[in-house]
Amino acid sequence: MNKASTSVSPYGKSVKVVLLAYLIIAVVQGLSEFGYVFIQMDKKDVFLSDLSFILWETLSVTSTTRYVVLLLCVVCTLMWQYKCYNIVRDANRYAISTIPEATLVFWFVPPFSFYIPYRTISEIYMGSDATDYSSDYLKLDSVPLRYKLWWALYLISFVFFPIRWEFSKEYSDGDWVLARYNMIGTAIWVACGSIFYLIVDDLTRRVSRFESVRKTQGRT
């Protein structure tokens, strides 16, 4: 393995490992919550009562673990993005004007957080396969559909999760309704994370190859 390929690959691998762990935990938590609330609707069966206890313990553990792993996932993703963006920006200074540090901050600053992160990831994709370094060559509408689908699901999840509480309040069996909404939210989040997993893998390979070619040509 050459030196160029190792500069980005560890960052990409760390994101994929932590993200995969997060997705597994999210699925287990979602199923545990759904099963627990469903069983609570009929406590007469002794076996179901025992299963309910197991599901509750699983839910408790995964709820805490999920947030810890999510934090690790955020940190790893930001480090990976910073590394990739730096490499691409060094080669395309006139086409990519945003400084790498700013792209990290924009994830957490509305309304920039609704678009800038997507633009950043798209710029990494376009910039890692650039042959023209003019200021207008980055046409973000030409990124693959999965990138757009990932960001659409990401935005939907942030709208869906807050309003699910309001929906559940309208019903007498609020816990059951909320559990069903949470399952839908988990499905959206898992789909979003799965697509992002593929994006991280794709961009890590592209940026590694791009950096390797540039070093071979003596252009860095």
Side-chain angles (χ1 to χ4, degrees):
M1 183 178 294
N2 56 51
K3 184 177 180 180
S5 64
T6 59
S7 61
V8 180
S9 294
Y11 294 89
K13 289 179 180 178
S14 66
V15 175
K16 290 193 295 181
V17 169
V18 179
L19 180 57
L20 182 60
Y22 175 80
L23 293 176
I24 293 174
I25 293 172
V27 171
V28 172
Q29 180 188 2
L31 293 176
S32 298
E33 179 186 15
F34 188 83
Y36 174 78
V37 176
F38 180 79
I39 291 174
Q40 291 303 301
M41 298 176 65
D42 183 7
K43 298 181 180 179
K44 298 178 182 179
D45 194 306
V46 177
F47 171 75
L48 290 181
S49 297
D50 292 338
L51 180 59
S52 174
F53 174 77
I54 296 175
L55 291 174
W56 174 253
E57 290 299 316
T58 302
L59 181 59
S60 301
V61 172
T62 53
S63 296
T64 302
T65 306
R66 180 176 179 178
Y67 287 108
V68 174
V69 177
L70 177 60
L71 178 60
L72 289 175
C73 190
V74 170
V75 172
C76 290
T77 298
L78 293 178
M79 293 174 61
W80 165 80
Q81 176 189 295
Y82 181 81
K83 181 66 176 179
C84 291
Y85 199 78
N86 256 327
I87 292 173
V88 174
R89 184 173 183 270
D90 285 344
N92 309 283
R93 287 188 181 276
Y94 300 104
I96 301 178
S97 58
T98 307
I99 61 174
E101 291 78 7
T103 64
L104 305 182
V105 175
F106 285 146
W107 275 96
F108 310 101
V109 182
F112 302 104
S113 57
F114 296 118
Y115 175 68
I116 299 298
Y118 168 74
R119 192 188 73 178
T120 300
I121 297 298
S122 299
E123 285 181 341
I124 294 174
Y125 176 85
M126 297 299 299
S128 60
D129 194 32
T131 56
D132 178 10
Y133 302 141
S134 62
S135 60
D136 60 349
Y137 86 95
L138 284 177
K139 301 185 183 302
L140 301 185
D141 57 346
S142 61
V143 298
L145 178 61
R146 63 179 176 275
Y147 285 69
K148 300 172 183 177
L149 179 59
W150 157 67
W151 192 245
L153 290 172
Y154 180 83
L155 294 179
I156 290 173
S157 68
F158 273 89
V159 174
F160 181 82
F161 273 101
I163 65 175
R164 77 192 193 282
W165 293 99
E166 298 302 321
F167 284 143
S168 63
K169 291 177 182 178
E170 309 237 344
Y171 298 87
S172 57
D173 55 342
D175 289 341
W176 173 236
V177 175
L178 181 60
R180 285 184 289 178
Y181 279 126
N182 282 344
M183 277 297 295
I184 296 174
T186 297
I188 295 173
W189 198 235
V190 169
C192 176
S194 300
I195 296 174
F196 188 63
Y197 181 96
L198 298 177
I199 290 175
V200 171
D201 183 66
D202 178 39
L203 287 184
T204 300
R205 294 174 185 273
R206 287 175 65 91
V207 173
S208 295
R209 185 166 55 248
F210 176 74
E211 184 185 25
S212 179
V213 170
R214 286 184 59 81
K215 286 189 175 183
T216 299
Q217 296 175 347
R219 299 173 64 180
T220 58

